[in-house]
Amino acid sequence: MTATMTVPDVLSELAALEDPKMRSANEKRGDDHGINLSKMRGLAKQVKTNHALAKELWSTGETAPRLLALLICKPREFSADELDAMLRETRPPKVNEWFVSYIAKKSPLAEEMRVRWFDDADPTVAAAAWSLTSERVAKKPEGLDLEDLLDRIERDMKDAPTRPQWTMNETLAQIGIYHPHLRARALEIGERLQVLADYPTAPGCTSPFAPSWIGEIVRRREG
C-alpha cells in the first residue's frame, strides 16, 4: 500500500475493517463508525502521510474517513479558515477529540485559533478554545491572565454545555496543578461548583472532579 492510494481504495480498506459489534458500542457514545481504532492507526501507517488524500477523505463527511484523514494529514498545512470550518463539523466525539488533539494543538496557528474561538457561541468551538487554553496554562502560561480565566470559569462553568464545561474544568485543574499561588482559589471554585463531582471513575484512575484531580497530580509531582 502506497501514498498513491485513491479515496475509493481507502474507503474499501475502511469497509473491510468495519465490525458491527464495534459500531454498536461506538454509537452508544455518539461515534458512528465500527472500526477498532488500533486497526485504524495501522491503516494510517500503511497509507502514510498524504495531505491531499486527507482533505479528500475529510470532504466525504463520514466519520471513519475523517478519523483516518486526521491521522495522515499535515496539521501545519491547514489555513486558519480551514481549521475553523473543520472544527465546526466535528460533531462525533472521537472526530472532535482527535481534531483538537492532533490538529489544532499541533498547528502553528494554535494560539491564533485559541483567541479566535474563545468567545464563540458554538459550544464545540468554545470547547476547543478552552482545550487550547488548558494546554497553554500547563506549558506556556506567559501572557495569560489566569485570574481572569478563573473568573470566567467561576461564572460560566456550572451551566456550560457538556463540551466546554469539560474543557473549562480541565483548565481549572491545570491552573490548580501548575500555579501554586492560585491553587487555593482553584480548589475553592471546584468544591463550590461541584462540576463532575459524581463522574464515575474506574479504580486506579484519577477523577475529573477538579479538587480531586488537582490533589492527586500535585501529590505525584511534589511527593
Side-chain angles (χ1 to χ4, degrees), residues 122-135:
D122 184 332
T124 293
V125 178
W130 279 101
S131 187
L132 291 170
T133 299
S134 174
E135 179 110 330

Side-chain angles (χ1 to χ4, degrees), residues 31 45 108 160 208 220:
D31 285 309
K45 288 181 180 179
R220 292 182 197 174

Side-chain angles (χ1 to χ4, degrees), residues 136-148:
R136 269 204 66 188
V137 165
K139 296 181 178 179
K140 194 177 179 181
E142 296 77 18
L144 284 179
D145 186 339
L146 299 178
E147 292 277 10
D148 178 67

Side-chain angles (χ1 to χ4, degrees), residues 158-205:
K158 181 77 171 178
D159 299 316
T162 300
R163 277 185 178 167
Q165 183 183 70
W166 191 271
T167 51
M168 290 170 79
N169 180 72
E170 181 183 14
T171 303
L172 175 64
Q174 299 292 53
I175 291 174
I177 292 165
Y178 289 97
H179 302 279
H181 67 291
L182 294 173
R183 187 171 296 155
R185 186 181 176 201
L187 288 168
E188 190 278 327
I189 290 172
E191 290 288 0
R192 179 158 38 84
L193 298 185
Q194 289 289 297
V195 168
L196 299 176
D198 298 324
Y199 192 84
T201 304
C205 295

